Amino acid sequence: MKKTRCAWCEKDDLYRNYHDNEWGNPVYDDDTIFEFLVLETFQAGLSWYTILAKRENFRKAFANFDYKKVASFTESQMEALLEDSGIIRNKLKIRATVTNAQAFMKVQEEFGTFSKYIWGFVGGKPIDNKPKTLKDVPATTEISDKLSKDLKKRGFKFVGSTVVYAHMQATGMVNDHVEDCWKRGSF
């Protein structure tokens, strides 16, 4: 029997697998939250599919998304990434990833975990928006605006409200599975 999914993911198996196994699942693990932060940073201005297709290349380029290692990337390591055709070779986004890793660890020092900090914006549990169709899914919300502003204040880069909202969707801080999607009530 064919599963009914959110329409955005029906392009191919890469998208369907991401939707079925990751998108919208609540993530409380700092390592995974950082991975999505890196990917969303590079997604800014591009399609999510482009980033998802290059995910394993990003994993290799950014030390398996180990924020401690990324935070200590040297100038020469960042320059080398500009030659890596497997990722998006954007100097500002590469530098932002290193800066964000450093800021990520500062937030951990203050809150104990990054997860505790970021989930605090939604009271520790997912917000269920109950969209009927994709047209009902916002690009930003008041919460993503606040979180974006706070992240920027803490030194994060490429964390505009749209990027932040996409991160919230990916990590399950909001449930934007449409009404007839099979994953709608699985959390």
Side-chain angles (χ1 to χ4, degrees), residues 22-72:
E22 293 184 83
W23 190 75
N25 292 351
V27 175
Y28 297 95
D29 170 68
D30 275 6
D31 294 334
T32 307
I33 291 171
F34 182 73
E35 175 179 351
F36 278 110
L37 183 62
V38 171
L39 296 173
E40 296 294 351
T41 297
F42 277 91
Q43 188 264 330
L46 301 171
S47 78
W48 180 244
Y49 188 84
T50 298
I51 303 306
L52 199 56
K54 294 177 176 277
R55 188 179 196 174
E56 290 311 310
N57 297 329
F58 280 106
R59 186 179 310 286
K60 290 176 194 157
F62 288 101
N64 203 33
F65 300 114
D66 181 331
Y67 52 86
K68 292 174 186 158
K69 289 180 181 176
V70 173
S72 64

Side-chain angles (χ1 to χ4, degrees), residues 129-180:
N129 289 322
K130 299 179 181 162
K132 290 190 185 304
T133 70
L134 288 179
K135 290 178 183 172
D136 299 322
V137 177
T140 64
T141 63
E142 190 176 311
I143 293 172
S144 69
D145 293 345
K146 286 180 187 173
L147 179 52
S148 170
K149 186 176 181 180
D150 197 69
L151 286 166
K152 289 175 183 177
K153 190 170 64 174
R154 293 172 182 279
F156 287 82
K157 307 289 183 202
F158 284 92
V159 289
S161 189
T162 303
V163 168
V164 167
Y165 193 72
H167 186 268
M168 291 171 70
Q169 290 173 308
T171 59
M173 292 174 68
V174 294
N175 181 356
D176 277 340
H177 287 283
V178 296
E179 187 175 60
D180 62 348

Side-chain angles (χ1 to χ4, degrees), residues 91-123:
K91 188 175 194 169
L92 294 175
K93 290 179 180 181
I94 290 168
R95 288 187 179 284
T97 300
V98 175
T99 298
N100 289 353
Q102 295 163 350
F104 190 90
M105 292 191 316
K106 287 179 184 169
V107 169
Q108 285 179 317
E109 288 172 19
E110 184 178 344
F111 290 86
T113 66
F114 190 85
S115 177
K116 185 177 178 183
Y117 159 75
I118 201 166
W119 278 91
F121 283 84
V122 294

